[in-house]
Amino acid sequence: MGIAVQAQDAVYGRGAADLHVRLDHDADGQWVLEAEARTDQDGSVSEWADRLLGRGLYRIVFATDPYFVGLGLRPAYPEIVVTFRMVDETAVNNIVVLISPYFSTVYFGSLS
């Protein structure tokens, strides 16, 4: 069915608000833009939960450089890319990324 995306700021212990996020899908070895959004105050992109996503490879690109530079920090990673496979078109998948200027970690699971 779709994906629920949330970015959490590990430095300040809150949602990473106003973070640019891009969703791409793989089309014969080429990444094609599916959607773009900015996270809300909780660090979420809720509008993608109802987006119909077929089976296949996808990636979410979190633009961390402008986010952390805006907070006066210099990140080691200018973006964080999460690549994942959609295998169940009826499920809403949950992707949570915990970001900091020097590390990130990702959770991927199903909400249904």
Side-chain angles (χ1 to χ4, degrees):
M1 175 114 176
I3 54 172
V5 175
Q6 187 174 42
Q8 292 293 308
D9 184 327
V11 175
Y12 295 103
R14 62 182 182 215
D18 201 35
L19 178 67
H20 181 261
V21 184
R22 187 179 80 233
L23 173 65
D24 300 327
H25 73 271
D26 177 65
D28 298 322
Q30 298 292 324
W31 290 111
V32 177
L33 177 66
E34 182 84 23
E36 290 182 289
R38 294 196 90 75
T39 56
D40 63 17
Q41 287 300 100
D42 294 325
S44 299
V45 179
S46 56
E47 62 263 27
W48 293 352
D50 294 330
R51 187 177 196 87
L52 296 175
L53 299 176
R55 293 173 188 247
L57 287 178
Y58 291 84
R59 72 178 181 183
I60 299 176
V61 180
F62 297 87
T64 53
D65 199 51
Y67 174 79
F68 283 118
V69 168
L71 295 172
L73 301 170
R74 177 177 238 162
Y77 304 103
E79 62 184 23
I80 296 168
V81 179
V82 177
T83 306
F84 61 98
R85 186 179 316 277
M86 290 291 290
V87 295
D88 185 354
E89 296 163 339
T90 64
V92 176
N93 291 294
N94 188 27
I95 297 173
V96 179
V97 62
L98 182 64
I99 63 172
S100 87
Y102 297 99
F103 82 89
S104 67
T105 187
V106 176
Y107 167 80
F108 180 87
S110 179
L111 293 175
S112 52

